[in-house]
Amino acid sequence: MKMIPLLILLFLAPTPSLSAPTTLTVTPKTLIKSGDTVSIQWSNVPSPSKLDWLGIYSPPDSRHDHFIGYKFLSESPTWASGSGSISIPLTNLRSSYSFRIFHWADSEINPKKQDHDHNPLPGTAHLLASAGSVGFETGRGPEQVHLAFTEDASEMRVMFLAEDGEKRYVKYGEKKDQMGHVAAASVERYERGQMCDKPANSSIGWRDPGWIFDAVIKGLKKGVRYYYKVGSDSKGWSETHSFVSRNEDSNETIAFLFGDMGAATPYTTFERTQDESISTMKWIHRDIEALGDKPAFVSHIGDISYARGYSWLWDEFFALIEPVASRVAYHVCIGNHEYDWPLQPWKPDWSYTVYGTDGGGECGVPYSLKFHMPGNSSEPTGTRAPATRNLYYSFDMGVVHFVYISTETNFLRGSNQYNFIKHDLESVDRKKTPFVVVQGHRPMYTTSNENRDAPLRNRMLEHLEPLFVENNVTLALWGHVHRYERFCPLNNFTCGSMGMDGEHSEAFPVHIVIGMAGQDWQPIWQPRPDHPDDPVFPQPMRSLYRGGEFGYTRLVATKEKLTLSYVGNHDGEVHDMVEILASGEVLSGGVAASVKESETTSGSGSGSDSGPRGELTKSTFSWFVQGASILVLGAFVGYVIGYISHTKKAATSGRSWTPVKTNEDA
């Protein structure tokens, strides 16, 4: 009889669920530095769908649809079982991360909510599990360290980022264990209210940008390696970095130049990111290692991070470049994706197809504060935003005078910028710096089918080209078009004599487009005017080499000769080069001996990447040593391999979107 009440109680008790709840775990909970990896594991996902996804959030309490990125669970080989794992390297955003798993089915796709690639944004209606928070260890010192030259060759600017505005310093010296000198850093930051448009000033794009520190090391000896670290005793110090100071007496100049690089992310986000940026930095890092104690610098001519209003992409960019930018000066000029917004102050009637919304509402603010270039050029924004800086400037590096200009602000005759360019070019001491290299973002010359910028190019030809020709500019380097293209010495679309076969040489500028460092949208070349819809793209005689491979250029100059080489990302080898004498005579334009014979044929065919035109000479360039290059990659390989393995957005069995290319990406 005693068993009956017990049976009744068991019958009336709630029946346990037949399926266990979804679990989500993340380890470790504390990371040391940017690039460290977390392992994310889940189990018991009911009725798994290929569209089930993992949301990555920072700050951890962000709204479901305000993720910084996402990954499909189907990137894990075991996703169909309802369990799996993914590893992701994280960048320090000065706020903790959290993670959430959502169920999402094909029937729930909203075609009106799309990312930059026109892929549907993940749905957040069915939250399955969440986990958090993951943070970074305190007291490890600042990050995002990068260098820049000042107007004084005996100085080096050091910039970095920290989570608060407390006082920080740079310790430095000629020996790694004797950094007895100290330089105090100034600090500033920008706020959400200073952004000019969405998404930069919206809750979906804005994240706390941290505090930007700026210090100048003075009284440097010429061509000497200095060791340094940044931070403070109370907040911690960074790892030790080093650089080689400028030597104005040097008979050699070395630089690495490119445009339109961007940054890679280990997740999909609202904007397309640039996986090729990893290879560009890898090969430049190799080249810098091979230099030993020779000074060099990097030149990035516009479209820097491609953040376009999503502020954490600036953090991803600086984390990517730090291994290079903490060793050599990293110089920039402004591009459309740093600046353009609907109410920008200089927007002539003829420019309605030129200047749009490419800056994502940033209106030059992050660019202006995160970098500090020589000179004091600036233009007011006409809004709460601070004046736009780093617009035009110049400096000497060895035997080359480098000039940076802005194609996004007024450059017409009579403007402040025009007056600067004119005075600067007329003041160059050609005995000291026999070569002059001008750099800007949008090209004066291109044979890509880029019609929207035609009104701008016409004004550049009218107002700027006469200054370049009259003052014997050696090279004019441009970005914006995500290709490599080298022209003959040009004046008003006419090739000057290259001094071949006893001809008198005409020292016209050699224009080269170098916007191939990372952004993956590549325009077509100009079709035939009478057959605009046929995929035949003749290569005009003025265009000597056209290439579609990602990469960068390497400049090496002595007082007698300047050599510019185009290095491809897929093999790290030279694919095109040009040699120019101090007189302006173009000695040769061709490819290195390693280039296949098939690449040295005439470029007058119909292929979109038609390569070199005419007879090419083998390079005598022996600066790069093959054996050493393999060894020095070790310093970078841990960083690169770890990052590359997580930036691939498509797993073999996973669901991924196919990138869609649009004209808006230039």
Side-chain angles (χ1 to χ4, degrees), residues 371-510:
F371 297 102
H372 190 163
M373 299 294 100
N376 57 1
S377 64
S378 67
E379 292 289 345
T381 60
T383 69
R384 290 183 58 190
T388 307
R389 312 173 196 168
N390 307 320
L391 295 174
Y392 44 90
Y393 62 95
S394 67
F395 60 84
D396 292 342
M397 174 69 166
V399 298
V400 182
H401 181 70
F402 292 92
V403 185
Y404 293 76
I405 68 174
S406 166
T407 58
E408 311 308 300
T409 55
N410 193 354
F411 57 81
L412 304 185
R413 190 175 288 106
S415 66
N416 291 336
Q417 179 170 202
Y418 178 91
N419 293 337
F420 166 82
I421 296 169
K422 184 176 187 296
H423 179 266
D424 187 85
L425 293 178
E426 292 174 349
S427 303
V428 176
D429 181 354
R430 301 304 280 254
K431 292 181 180 178
K432 179 183 177 184
T433 54
F435 300 100
V436 175
V437 177
V438 177
Q439 299 164 88
H441 183 58
R442 300 184 197 242
M444 185 181 296
Y445 287 100
T446 176
T447 64
S448 73
N449 197 29
E450 174 52 89
N451 296 321
R452 294 174 304 157
D453 281 355
L456 180 80
R457 291 196 294 272
N458 291 337
R459 271 69 183 184
M460 294 173 72
L461 290 164
E462 177 186 354
H463 296 269
L464 297 182
E465 185 174 47
L467 293 180
F468 292 9
V469 173
E470 291 165 10
N471 292 284
N472 298 321
V473 167
T474 310
L475 278 175
L477 303 178
W478 313 101
H480 194 57
V481 175
H482 308 142
R483 301 272 193 167
Y484 172 86
E485 184 171 24
R486 175 171 57 83
F487 292 88
C488 64
L490 272 175
N491 181 20
N492 193 25
F493 289 93
T494 302
C495 289
S497 169
M498 296 174 66
M500 301 294 186
D501 301 323
E503 294 178 325
H504 173 70
S505 64
E506 295 174 284
F508 293 157
V510 173

Side-chain angles (χ1 to χ4, degrees), residues 199-228:
N201 63 4
S202 68
S203 56
I204 199 167
W206 172 260
R207 298 294 188 278
D208 189 304
W211 295 78
I212 303 162
F213 288 82
D214 185 340
V216 176
I217 300 175
K218 300 182 178 183
L220 300 174
K221 298 177 183 177
K222 297 177 182 180
V224 171
R225 181 170 297 280
Y226 285 86
Y227 297 88
Y228 72 99

Side-chain angles (χ1 to χ4, degrees), residues 89 228 247 315 375 419 438 460 480 532 587 608 617 664:
Y228 72 99
N247 183 1
D315 295 286
N419 293 337
V438 177
M460 294 173 72
H480 194 57
L587 277 187
S608 62
T617 58
E664 299 172 359

